[in-house]
Amino acid sequence: MEFALVKSKPVGTVVVPNVGGTHVRKHHHGDHLIHHIHRRASSLVDTLFGGADVKHHGLTERINSNSESMSYCEDGFDFNRDGSSTSLSSERSYADESVEGLKNWIVHVRDHIQPQGDVGNDDSLDQRILNVVTSLPFLGLGAYMVRRHTSAEGRAYGKSMLLVGASATGYHATWGALRRLCRKMDYYSISFASAKMVRAIWPESKALRRAVGCSWLAVPFKPFLISTGYALAMQREFFKLGIKDDSLKPHLIGHAITAGAGALAFTLEESLSDAGFKHTHSLWHCLSAYGVYTTSKLIEHKEHMRVRRVHDSALSLVDFVDKAK
């Protein structure tokens, strides 16, 4: 038996038996740990994105190829500077716990994303057709508001309503996994449009702009709550202005009736479906579409108020100049 002197940068110089002149492999403590992390990362990628999709892009193969090309110590130990062996089980355990903790956190976040699963409001062909048809008015309303509103915020609200119409149509016209994805997009697009709505009502408010920006973080988890909060803020403003302005009052009354009926239909949809009325969801579409139309009238009224303020300010300035002369 002869001895070979091996110099390893991470651990210094150690003496390793070399029997029969066989090839001497250098086992680095860092290499072994990195190899183990690579293997765990490969497992994490497959868990998050699905093995088939990941392999299609070649990511798993690259991770495995890199890890297999690295030398590691099958005996599970390395050498310190003084020549004593140290188990790597603690380092491996720490890597395992870190990766498992990340996986558990991602699963926890995924399980709290709303909405989950699917609902049975398109069980029959006539339900599906009627739900698709009653989703189309939102596209028309979006195009109407883009043309009608004079403010940039009002036109942005109209564009967001186009997204609502497209998401609702896609949701009711699809099946399986794509339908579940479109259901999420339906909820998120409504939250997005609700945020654009309050920005159109109060475009000058910097505090509201910051609040809307912060609310984006909560949309994937509480989209219905975000939409409801913005809707209540809009209805308060609608009531405050509508009772004072005769031109806005008819729209306020129509909005109050459809909002109340729409909330009732949304709440009782499942119960009414069990009782035999299968078209509650399409009825809710119609009520919501009229509610959006009356909301656009509120936004138009606010735009006219801002124009009148600017006009009155200009007249006041002219009168001041004339008096100064």
Side-chain angles (χ1 to χ4, degrees):
M1 177 183 296
E2 56 181 290
F3 289 86
L5 191 62
V6 180
K7 189 173 183 62
S8 174
K9 290 182 180 179
V11 299
T13 303
V14 298
V15 178
V16 180
N18 182 10
V19 182
T22 58
H23 177 66
V24 179
R25 295 176 60 188
K26 295 186 288 185
H27 304 307
H28 291 181
H29 177 84
D31 289 349
H32 174 65
L33 186 58
I34 292 173
H35 165 79
H36 186 69
I37 293 173
H38 270 274
R39 295 178 63 190
R40 300 298 297 175
S42 175
S43 173
L44 176 60
V45 169
D46 287 335
T47 300
L48 294 179
F49 303 105
D53 293 336
V54 175
K55 289 179 181 179
H56 175 72
H57 296 288
L59 182 56
T60 300
E61 285 83 348
R62 290 197 297 273
I63 292 174
N64 290 336
S65 175
N66 290 337
S67 63
E68 289 171 0
S69 65
M70 299 172 61
S71 62
Y72 74 100
C73 182
E74 292 86 350
D75 295 334
F77 62 87
D78 205 343
F79 293 99
N80 295 321
R81 293 184 181 275
D82 59 0
S84 62
S85 63
T86 302
S87 174
L88 298 179
S89 59
S90 59
E91 286 83 353
R92 294 174 61 181
S93 176
Y94 177 77
D96 288 346
E97 290 175 1
S98 299
V99 175
E100 287 298 326
L102 179 59
K103 289 170 64 175
N104 292 336
W105 180 81
I106 292 174
V107 170
H108 178 76
V109 171
R110 181 200 64 192
D111 291 344
H112 284 79
I113 290 177
Q114 298 296 327
Q116 294 283 340
D118 199 357
V119 292
N121 50 26
D122 289 318
D123 294 334
S124 61
L125 182 60
D126 60 327
Q127 275 184 290
R128 187 178 292 274
I129 292 174
L130 196 56
N131 285 336
V132 169
V133 170
T134 53
S135 297
L136 299 177
F138 294 100
L139 295 171
L141 282 168
Y144 165 81
M145 287 189 286
V146 169
R147 294 193 308 269
R148 184 79 176 177
H149 291 308
T150 57
S151 65
E153 292 82 5
R155 290 191 293 272
Y157 176 47
K159 293 175 183 177
S160 69
M161 198 52 58
L162 292 172
L163 179 61
V164 170
S167 300
T169 304
Y171 166 54
H172 291 293
T174 53
W175 292 263
L178 182 58
R179 175 181 169 84
R180 292 191 293 273
L181 176 62
C182 288
R183 184 171 182 240
K184 286 183 171 60
M185 292 304 301
D186 187 32
Y187 272 70
Y188 300 161
S189 64
I190 293 173
S191 296
F192 178 73
S194 300
K196 293 298 182 181
M197 174 189 68
V198 295
R199 289 281 293 114
I201 296 172
W202 296 284
E204 304 95 346
S205 176
K206 295 182 180 180
L208 177 63
R209 189 180 304 132
R210 289 192 293 269
V212 168
C214 294
S215 72
W216 297 133
L217 299 175
V219 166
F221 308 101
K222 297 293 182 181
F224 182 74
L225 181 63
I226 296 296
S227 302
T228 302
Y230 288 145
L232 292 175
M234 173 271 296
Q235 287 163 357
R236 181 180 180 275
E237 183 74 1
F238 210 156
F239 179 78
K240 185 177 73 173
L241 297 177
I243 60 175
K244 298 178 182 178
D245 193 291
D246 291 338
S247 64
L248 192 60
K249 189 173 294 184
H251 298 300
L252 172 62
I253 295 172
H255 181 86
I257 294 172
T258 54
L264 190 64
F266 186 85
T267 304
L268 299 178
E269 179 178 352
E270 187 174 348
S271 300
L272 292 174
S273 179
D274 294 339
F277 186 72
K278 302 292 185 180
H279 302 298
T280 310
H281 195 78
S282 58
L283 174 62
W284 177 75
H285 279 175
C286 297
L287 294 170
S288 299
Y290 186 78
V292 170
Y293 170 75
T294 56
T295 302
S296 74
K297 293 302 180 181
L298 170 64
I299 295 173
E300 286 182 28
H301 181 77
K302 296 278 286 188
E303 289 172 341
H304 293 157
M305 288 177 61
R306 288 193 292 272
V307 170
R308 284 199 298 268
R309 283 201 302 269
V310 172
H311 180 69
D312 293 344
S313 298
L315 289 179
S316 299
L317 180 61
V318 171
D319 290 342
F320 176 77
V321 172
D322 289 341
K323 290 178 181 179
K325 291 180 179 179

